[in-house]
Amino acid sequence: LLVSDDRVVLEIMEALGIRYTTTGTLVASMFRMGKLARKEAQWHLERLAEFICEDEYLETKSASRGD
């Protein structure tokens, strides 16, 4: 499993059939699995905000609130 937010890398992984996820999705998943506390997950997402697209940020922030 590859973790990246680089759109070009993600497109290549998609074309090659390699499993991948993005950092925001990884943080939200770790929260849902109980590996990160809510405040910790939200802290990480705030730090990632300037590096990930707005759609992903809003989606993962919602997931980390348990919406």
Side-chain angles (χ1 to χ4, degrees):
L1 179 66
L2 176 82
V3 179
S4 178
D5 286 311
D6 184 309
R7 189 61 40 204
V8 174
V9 170
L10 297 178
E11 289 173 4
I12 292 169
M13 296 302 107
E14 180 95 18
L16 295 174
I18 297 172
R19 290 180 36 183
Y20 66 88
T21 191
T22 59
T23 53
T25 303
L26 179 62
V27 170
S29 295
M30 290 178 70
F31 165 71
R32 283 193 301 273
M33 292 186 312
K35 302 294 183 184
L36 287 176
R38 175 170 293 158
K39 285 185 179 185
E40 188 177 9
Q42 290 173 341
W43 184 87
H44 285 292
L45 289 173
E46 290 302 318
R47 300 308 168 281
L48 288 169
E50 67 181 277
F51 303 106
I52 60 179
C53 71
E54 184 177 2
D55 288 343
E56 180 180 358
Y57 171 76
L58 294 173
E59 190 174 311
T60 55
K61 187 169 183 167
S62 176
S64 72
R65 287 192 311 252
D67 295 350

